[in-house]
Amino acid sequence: MKVVLTGGGSGGSVAPLLAIAEEIRKRKPETEFLFIGTRKGKPEKEMVQDYHFSFKGIFAGKLRRYFSLRNFLDPLLIFLGFWQALFLLLSFRPKMIISAGGFVAVPVVIAGWFLKIPSLIHQQDIIPSLTNKILIPFAKKITVSFDKSLNDFPKGKTILTGQPIREMIFKGDKEKAIQKFNLEKNLPTLLVLGGGTGAAILNELIWRNLERLTKICQIIHLTGPGKAKIGNWPSKIKNFRYHTYEFLTDEIADAYAVADLVVSRAGINVLSELAVLGKPTIVIPIPNSHQEANAKYFAEKKAVIVLNQKELTDEKLFHEIKKMIDHQEERKNLGERMKEIILKNSREKIFASLIKLGKF
């Protein structure tokens, strides 16, 4: 059995594919996988390397809902990506294609449709991605993470499964993390996540608050690739209670395990991972994006604290972090409500959908 996984541009579209692949391998260990991602291959190439999948990068034009001069070039890239995908599929000859978003999936799924290779696409976010909306006619099955998404796709081929989570997320070790990240045992730990590509504004907010924050907690800060450089660190903070990384792969499980509080963007994959672990979280969604709907959904369940980036100041962010650090009971309540959001057995439900494609 051969299966193509496709997605990329951010870790959020790759992680659920790896979770699905884990479930397939558990049930069908002889399965061979090919991962088709972007030509630059970040972060997807780094994330899949431990799974020993073959990886191929293709041209992919980004699909935008707003005006940009790149909109005139990117259709050409999609066209080139289609022919590259067609060649790869003809060479690999998979029985199915699985996508969880990411603009690189468009040429791959469409090329598969031309070759009569069935595709399953997974919709993670509350608001359907432009990629998945385009791929509706070409997909055989569609799975969704939340019941609200059922109305956005054809009823005949759409199934509510929940968000698939990688097994390694549950293998984090707090004691191991303390050693790995050089942490103090009796000091609260703040984990800051800016998304797979990093969030410059969130980084700046943390950096400007470093001196105050490191008096009340220690910080593991994922800045995003190429964004770890800081120009004006107070020298006494540079190597004290603050630990910065551009990106973590398997080590993220240990970072989750040791975190007492998380500040994060609102990509649905990271929110789902934090939810299944019951981590109290302050969410700062990207303004005017699908992340606002994700954050609103979790906030309606009283499972996260949402801060509006447009209204956020250094003082307000510090105040919210300090309030949560100081109130252990409130952190516990948030974590418990987080756990209630995520549907159980998501991977098994998606595998059942793959069986219905008639290829297992």
Side-chain angles (χ1 to χ4, degrees):
M1 169 67 78
K2 294 183 178 181
V3 174
V4 161
L5 307 173
T6 183
S10 75
S13 62
V14 178
L17 291 174
L18 298 180
I20 295 169
E22 286 175 348
E23 190 64 24
I24 294 173
R25 271 186 167 174
K26 183 190 296 184
R27 296 167 181 266
K28 300 287 182 179
E30 73 282 2
T31 303
E32 184 179 351
F33 293 93
L34 169 64
F35 197 106
I36 301 179
T38 58
R39 289 176 68 229
K40 293 182 179 179
K42 281 194 174 184
E44 58 265 33
K45 193 170 185 177
E46 292 183 19
M47 292 179 69
V48 306
Q49 62 184 358
D50 292 336
Y51 287 76
H52 306 293
F53 297 159
S54 297
F55 181 93
K56 298 293 183 180
I58 65 172
F59 285 101
K62 186 173 182 179
L63 303 169
R64 303 173 181 84
R65 302 173 193 257
Y66 54 88
F67 176 79
S68 169
L69 292 176
R70 288 294 305 267
N71 288 342
F72 296 101
L73 172 64
D74 284 3
L76 174 61
L77 296 179
I78 294 172
F79 180 75
L80 292 173
F82 168 82
W83 287 104
Q84 288 179 303
L86 199 68
F87 174 78
L88 288 172
L89 295 176
L90 284 169
S91 300
F92 188 63
R93 303 182 70 83
K95 293 296 184 181
M96 67 179 67
I97 299 168
I98 306 172
S99 166
F103 49 86
V104 71
V106 172
V108 179
V109 172
I110 294 177
W113 180 80
F114 270 94
L115 297 175
K116 300 188 184 303
I117 302 169
S119 295
L120 178 145
I121 61 175
H122 179 67
Q123 173 59 42
Q124 305 182 71
D125 297 292
I126 301 293
I127 295 178
S129 68
L130 183 55
T131 293
N132 282 349
K133 289 178 75 172
I134 290 171
L135 293 178
I136 287 173
F138 305 99
K140 192 78 171 178
K141 289 284 183 183
I142 301 169
T143 55
V144 298
S145 293
F146 299 96
D147 54 3
K148 284 190 174 183
S149 300
L150 288 171
N151 296 327
D152 296 317
F153 298 96
K155 291 183 179 180
K157 57 181 176 181
T158 305
I159 302 168
L160 174 64
T161 60
Q163 178 74 352
I165 304 294
R166 295 171 290 169
E167 288 182 353
M168 50 83 65
I169 294 301
F170 302 97
K171 297 178 180 178
D173 186 299
K174 184 175 181 179
E175 292 301 317
K176 185 178 176 183
I178 290 172
Q179 294 183 7
K180 181 179 295 184
F181 300 115
N182 194 28
L183 302 174
E184 299 177 39
K185 280 193 174 183
N186 299 317
L187 190 68
T189 300
L190 173 69
L191 174 62
V192 181
L193 307 171
T197 57
I201 291 176
L202 181 54
N203 290 346
E204 291 289 344
L205 283 164
I206 294 297
W207 292 334
R208 291 196 298 265
N209 271 303
L210 266 184
E211 192 163 9
R212 291 191 291 183
L213 286 172
T214 50
K215 290 178 181 178
I216 62 171
C217 65
Q218 54 198 337
I219 304 168
I220 300 173
H221 185 184
L222 274 60
T223 63
K227 298 180 181 179
K229 184 178 180 181
I230 305 174
N232 298 308
W233 277 2
S235 58
K236 62 182 178 181
I237 292 176
K238 193 166 186 178
N239 294 302
F240 178 64
R241 293 184 175 179
Y242 177 70
H243 312 273
T244 179
Y245 302 87
E246 291 190 351
F247 190 74
L248 293 177
T249 52
D250 287 356
E251 300 95 336
I252 190 63
D254 293 326
Y256 284 156
V258 79
D260 296 290
L261 177 67
V262 181
V263 173
S264 176
R265 282 303 200 190
I268 207 63
N269 186 70
V270 69
L271 282 182
S272 298
E273 290 179 347
L274 293 169
V276 78
L277 296 173
K279 290 295 173 178
T281 304
I282 296 172
V283 175
I284 307 172
I286 298 173
N288 306 315
S289 76
H290 64 280
Q291 288 195 4
E292 290 185 324
N294 295 341
K296 182 181 178 183
Y297 182 86
F298 278 70
E300 288 173 347
K301 308 289 185 181
K302 298 182 180 180
V304 296
I305 295 171
V306 179
L307 300 180
N308 186 334
Q309 179 178 299
K310 294 179 180 178
E311 301 172 356
L312 193 56
T313 63
D314 297 353
E315 189 65 37
K316 186 171 184 179
L317 178 60
F318 175 75
H319 171 77
E320 291 294 340
I321 292 173
K322 186 177 187 303
K323 183 172 70 174
M324 293 303 299
I325 290 292
D326 290 343
H327 292 86
Q328 184 176 353
E329 190 64 26
E330 178 58 20
R331 296 203 310 270
K332 180 181 176 182
N333 292 337
L334 275 181
E336 289 176 351
R337 290 192 288 267
M338 280 283 267
K339 283 186 174 181
E340 295 172 359
I341 289 179
I342 300 302
L343 294 176
K344 304 294 190 297
N345 303 318
S346 299
R347 292 167 29 147
E348 292 87 342
K349 292 172 185 174
I350 291 177
F351 186 82
S353 296
L354 293 173
I355 290 176
K356 290 179 181 178
L357 288 179
K359 297 299 179 181
F360 277 117

